[in-house]
Amino acid sequence: MLPDRTGRFGPFGGTFVPETLMAALTELEHAFAHARRDPTFQRELRELLAQYAGRPTPLYHAKRLSRALGHITVYLKREDLLHTGAHKINNSLGQALLAVRMGKRRLIAETGAGQHGVATATAAALFGLECEVFMGEEDMRRQALNVVRMRLLGATVTPVSSGTKTLKDACNEAIRDWVTTVRTTHYCIGSVVGPHPYPLIVREFQSVIGQEARRQILQAAGRLPDLLLACVGGGSNAIGLFHPFARDRRIKCIGVEAGGTALTPGHHAATLVKGRPGVLHGAYSMLLQDRWGQVLSTTSIAAGLDYPGVGPEHAYYQLTKRASYVAVSDADALRGCELLARTEGILPALEPAHAIAYLQHLAPRLKRHTLVILGLSGRGDKDVHALAQALDSHGRHSSRI
Ligand SMILES: *Cc1c(COP(=O)(O)O)cnc(C)c1O
């Protein structure tokens, strides 16, 4: 079972951090290994997920969407119905519980769209922990509503003004803070990225998505699915869905990345489609970089996908062909959003709208009765501002968004 003892998924993963962090990562690895085997921890987490976060989430048979796409059967895994509006809360609750076990009184986090910041601020409030969230100034402007939410929850939101003032710069700042506060502070990473053991820990906390979906699809359809689809930013909601099905080689897995405005450097965030291997934020994985190895800036209408790196396990899935990865443009994601809203009365976040758009593109080539599970990672409330702008710029000329 991967990762191996040094945190590698084949060639990817590992621990590329300053020496001062090694002790903390080892402590975290041991605490997690212990918690994982501890029935008390498992019960506490299960109860929190059920009573506080709202699990299990429904596996919803989207009949009108299925019909609109032709003769396939689509089920949506409804992570959008969770408390705080996305799958991020699964991980933040798990890591907060782990932090309490380790005796840490303070959580820090990085955030791009603000969803992981909100989930971590929520978990910190629930456990009475101090919380500081690092966020690029540009993202604070784009996601002003989530900044207010975090502050209302009692978190300090610290603006980051270096680099492009976005998620990767916020990650750098969080790592910098952690180096000096590591004895009292747990760094709550929001996706399956970063140094070992984070890709493992976050995968395990998010695998509840696929574990539930597996039980639910067997009950609802009487068989396993043919195809799993999910959007990929850092990759946590996709790994959470894929991992419990990974040994069923017959099931196809497709991760959908942000194609932005064009697949040219700086205009997208399609790391697996367009990147090359390199080191970022503590791990060796695929990375968007120029020919000198400098990290490229990214563009996406979905702030949660706007990141130049990706989890090492996805790089490994791509290398071994266990999953394939594609890119969908901003414009197509808007159409995916509209399709789900109009056929099912569900307004998805712009991130999973990429996966819906790809399914729309793929559907004509799928066999009759193909059984699909699509990970609906979050709801669209946070995106109404971006959607309103898109309506403004295109609405007068077209019936579409
Ligand atoms: C953060 C976020 C994502 C991207 O993160 P992953 O780690 O790739 O899952 C996708 N969807 C939503 C709704 C998000 O908030």
Side-chain angles (χ1 to χ4, degrees), residues 86-88 115 190-192 231-238 304-305 349 351-352 377-378 382:
H87 68 290
K88 300 262 174 24
Q115 288 302 105
S191 190
V192 284
C231 64
V232 175
S236 68
N237 87 89
L305 304 182
E351 291 84 3
S377 55
K382 71 179 175 61

Side-chain angles (χ1 to χ4, degrees), residues 33-324:
H34 194 260
R36 207 177 179 183
R37 290 189 306 265
D38 179 358
T40 309
F41 179 87
Q42 292 301 337
R43 180 168 39 76
E44 278 175 11
L45 182 58
R46 205 167 43 241
E47 284 177 9
L48 272 174
L49 290 174
Q51 294 161 11
Y52 185 74
R55 304 212 71 90
T57 59
L59 184 74
Y60 167 67
H61 184 185
K63 295 198 182 106
R64 277 183 31 90
L65 174 68
S66 301
R67 219 170 301 139
L69 294 177
H71 299 283
I72 62 175
T73 305
V74 185
Y75 282 81
L76 303 175
K77 184 57 176 160
R78 297 289 308 272
E79 298 298 292
D80 61 314
L81 293 177
L82 286 173
H83 181 43
T84 70
H87 68 290
K88 300 262 174 24
I89 193 77
N90 301 324
N91 171 50
S92 291
L93 286 174
Q95 287 199 44
L97 207 55
L98 207 53
V100 171
R101 267 172 89 97
M102 290 188 292
K104 309 260 162 133
R105 302 297 311 155
R106 177 172 175 262
L107 295 182
I108 57 170
E110 80 295 332
T111 198
Q115 288 302 105
H116 174 57
V118 168
T120 304
T122 298
L126 182 65
F127 288 101
L129 303 172
E130 196 188 323
C131 182
E132 181 167 354
V133 179
F134 296 91
M135 190 169 187
E137 273 179 352
E138 175 61 17
D139 289 335
M140 285 180 73
R141 192 186 57 72
R142 290 193 288 185
Q143 304 287 331
L145 208 64
N146 275 340
V147 174
V148 178
R149 287 167 85 192
M150 287 183 268
R151 288 183 172 152
L152 285 171
L153 290 160
T156 305
V157 182
T158 301
V160 176
S161 57
S162 54
T164 51
K165 306 178 174 56
T166 58
L167 181 57
K168 79 167 166 47
D169 312 292
C171 291
N172 291 336
E173 207 51 44
I175 292 170
R176 220 166 282 149
D177 178 290
W178 203 35
V179 169
T180 61
T181 59
V182 65
R183 291 227 322 280
T184 57
T185 297
H186 173 67
Y187 179 15
C188 185
I189 292 187
S191 190
V192 284
V193 299
H196 180 65
Y198 283 102
L200 166 67
I201 292 177
V202 180
R203 179 190 80 198
E204 292 301 295
F205 287 144
Q206 292 294 1
S207 285
V208 67
I209 301 172
Q211 286 156 4
E212 284 177 8
R214 195 178 171 102
R215 275 198 303 278
Q216 291 167 318
I217 197 77
L218 286 173
Q219 181 127 56
R223 67 176 181 99
L224 289 174
D226 303 304
L227 173 63
L228 303 173
L229 264 177
C231 64
V232 175
S236 68
N237 87 89
I239 282 285
L241 179 62
F242 296 172
H243 188 257
F245 296 94
R247 288 182 182 183
D248 305 284
R249 308 287 309 184
R250 214 185 37 75
I251 301 175
K252 202 168 155 53
C253 299
I254 302 178
V256 185
E257 298 191 309
T261 50
L263 284 179
T264 49
H267 298 112
H268 63 87
T271 309
L272 289 159
V273 171
K274 285 288 177 183
R276 284 181 294 115
V279 172
L280 178 68
H281 300 140
Y284 182 70
S285 185
M286 296 296 274
L287 176 60
L288 292 171
Q289 54 190 311
D290 67 17
R291 64 188 152 117
W292 293 279
Q294 291 298 306
V295 180
L296 289 167
S297 62
T298 50
T299 304
S300 172
I301 193 167
L305 304 182
D306 207 354
Y307 179 64
V310 69
E313 193 162 13
H314 283 293
Y316 179 72
Y317 276 11
Q318 184 187 44
L319 181 72
T320 57
K321 300 193 161 57
R322 181 60 195 92
S324 51

